[in-house]
């Protein structure tokens, strides 16, 4: 499953983790494969299922 980088940035910034969001923004592609990047999501304390529940608002 792929998740839009913008969704991850939104979650991190809402937590006040702006430095981590900036790093993800600089280093990751626009679409993040949750299977290949499960370690990154775990490090960031993000659950792929939670990210997939709400579609990216920019896609509309």
């Amino acid at each position: 499953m792929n998740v839009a980088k913008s969704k991850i940035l939104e979650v991190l910034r809402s937590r006040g983790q702006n430095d981590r969001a900036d790093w993800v923004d600089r280093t990751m592609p626009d679409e993040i494969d949750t299977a290949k990047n499960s370690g990154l999501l775990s490090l960031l304390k993000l659950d792929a299922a939670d990210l997939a529940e709400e579609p990216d608002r920019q896609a509309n």
Side-chain angles (χ1 to χ4, degrees), residues 20-33:
R20 287 187 180 202
D22 291 344
W23 179 83
V24 169
D25 196 23
R26 284 191 312 270
T27 60
M28 300 303 291
D30 290 337
E31 290 290 319
I32 298 172
D33 184 323

Side-chain angles (χ1 to χ4, degrees), residues 5 8-28 32 39-46:
K5 175 172 68 174
I8 292 173
L9 297 176
E10 178 185 324
V11 171
L12 292 173
R13 292 191 195 288
S14 74
R15 294 179 181 171
Q17 296 177 320
N18 294 316
D19 290 341
R20 287 187 180 202
D22 291 344
W23 179 83
V24 169
D25 196 23
R26 284 191 312 270
T27 60
M28 300 303 291
I32 298 172
L40 172 66
L41 295 177
S42 177
L43 175 70
L44 297 173
K45 296 184 181 6
L46 297 171

Side-chain angles (χ1 to χ4, degrees), residues 44-58:
L44 297 173
K45 296 184 181 6
L46 297 171
D47 185 344
D50 291 342
L51 295 171
E53 284 179 9
E54 184 177 333
D56 187 11
R57 290 183 186 103
Q58 294 177 359

